[in-house]
Amino acid sequence: MLSKNLNKSINSIVFDCPYCNANKITFDIKGINNPQLDRNNNKIHFQLFAVCRSCKNAITVNAIENEEFFKMALGDKLNNDRGTTYLQIVLNYFNEHERDLHTIFSSFFYNPILPSSTQPPEHLPSEIENIFLEASKCLSVNCYNAAGAMFRLCLDITTKKIIDNHSNKNPTANDKKTIHSRLKWIFENEILPSDLEDLSRGIKDDGNDAAHDGSLNKDDAEDLLDFTYILLERVYTEPERVKIAAQRRVARRQTP
């Protein structure tokens, strides 16, 4: 997103905030990173660390050099060490002037600095791993209903897999109908340990609350994260770790 409404102060810039959705809110510039040469367009790119005055969340503002300004400022000093030289020019300018940032930068765009998201357990099928990552990213930016829907999709696929793998126990159509009916059948048949059953009680019925009226809060979403993570570990990660350990044991005992 480009900014056309820049504050005249060198210490601030105006953007629409991607976090609180405030329009044309001022971001205070707290620092500048060492510039890098983009060899695709042979221009210097700076990174400005900026904080929204409304919600206090941070973004990284990418600022591209104004070639005319730097040609004038560098004169005969243009050399291969462009990054260090350009940074010193910008810092000197910041210390001595109070002008529009367009004087030294030609354009601006930003990327939000997103909070860390929970990584999935090891050895998941790629489909499940991608869904879990999407759910985790949604949770990290407080999109609880979206996170809940994706965690439940992990549970939906996984519980169907468990039912299919134990078809010899003759689950009924009702047993297969919903996540909750599947989990109930799985625990009744002692396919998964009872300690997981207690954890599963934190999940609201069927996901209908999130899907239909968007009522999930942070606690609900984190309950889903905890149960989904542990279930995926039990179903996918632990068996694969045992399999890998067994393979190592066989390999160690093979005759050279």
Side-chain angles (χ1 to χ4, degrees):
M1 182 182 296
L2 296 178
S3 172
K4 298 180 180 179
N5 300 289
L6 299 175
N7 193 291
K8 294 297 183 181
S9 168
I10 61 169
N11 296 318
S12 62
I13 191 169
V14 174
F15 280 112
D16 295 342
C17 181
Y19 292 99
C20 65
N21 296 320
N23 293 324
K24 297 181 180 179
I25 192 70
T26 299
F27 285 81
D28 293 313
I29 296 173
K30 300 296 185 179
I32 182 170
N33 197 14
N34 286 329
Q36 300 291 326
L37 175 65
D38 185 341
R39 299 192 181 279
N40 291 323
N41 57 21
N42 202 38
K43 292 181 181 290
I44 292 289
H45 288 226
F46 296 79
Q47 288 188 320
L48 311 178
F49 184 76
V51 177
C52 175
R53 286 187 182 176
S54 176
C55 67
K56 308 304 180 186
N57 280 302
I59 61 174
T60 299
V61 177
N62 296 279
I64 301 176
E65 65 167 305
N66 181 334
E67 289 183 281
E68 294 303 317
F69 170 81
F70 284 101
K71 284 179 181 178
M72 178 183 66
L74 284 167
D76 296 332
K77 297 179 181 179
L78 185 63
N79 53 41
N80 292 328
D81 190 21
R82 294 180 70 186
T84 302
T85 304
Y86 277 41
L87 179 59
Q88 192 58 53
I89 289 172
V90 171
L91 293 176
N92 290 342
Y93 181 87
F94 275 18
N95 288 333
E96 297 172 5
H97 300 82
E98 290 189 3
R99 284 184 174 178
D100 193 319
L101 287 173
H102 273 306
T103 301
I104 53 179
F105 302 124
S106 63
S107 59
F108 304 83
F109 58 96
Y110 66 75
N111 297 312
I113 299 176
L114 298 177
S116 297
S117 56
T118 302
Q119 293 302 298
E122 294 180 303
H123 309 304
L124 300 184
S126 58
E127 178 189 20
I128 299 291
E129 181 175 355
N130 290 336
I131 295 169
F132 185 96
L133 283 169
E134 184 173 345
S136 180
K137 288 175 184 176
C138 289
L139 180 56
S140 73
V141 293
N142 304 329
C143 295
Y144 303 128
N145 292 294
M150 299 310 292
F151 282 132
R152 285 196 174 98
L153 183 55
C154 287
L155 296 177
D156 189 55
I157 295 171
T158 302
T159 53
K160 285 177 179 176
K161 168 188 166 66
I162 295 172
I163 293 278
D164 289 343
N165 288 345
H166 293 83
S167 58
N168 61 319
K169 294 181 180 291
N170 301 316
T172 67
N174 283 334
D175 292 330
K176 300 178 181 180
K177 188 174 182 180
T178 67
I179 293 173
H180 274 263
S181 62
R182 282 178 232 131
L183 285 173
K184 181 181 178 183
W185 183 88
I186 288 166
F187 291 125
E188 286 177 349
N189 285 271
E190 300 181 345
I191 296 169
L192 290 173
S194 58
D195 58 344
L196 261 181
E197 184 175 10
D198 292 335
L199 195 58
S200 74
R201 294 195 179 102
I203 302 172
K204 290 187 176 181
D205 289 342
D206 252 356
N208 289 336
D209 44 326
H212 294 165
D213 59 21
S215 62
L216 283 192
N217 57 34
K218 181 180 179 182
D219 290 340
D220 298 328
E222 289 182 345
D223 285 346
L224 269 165
L225 166 63
D226 287 341
F227 178 71
T228 303
Y229 192 99
I230 296 296
L231 180 68
L232 294 178
E233 273 198 322
R234 297 286 176 92
V235 174
Y236 297 106
T237 307
E238 292 178 5
E240 187 63 22
R241 285 176 178 169
V242 171
K243 178 181 175 182
I244 292 170
Q247 291 171 345
R248 288 199 302 263
R249 180 176 181 275
V250 170
R252 284 193 292 266
R253 284 157 177 76
Q254 286 179 341
T255 304

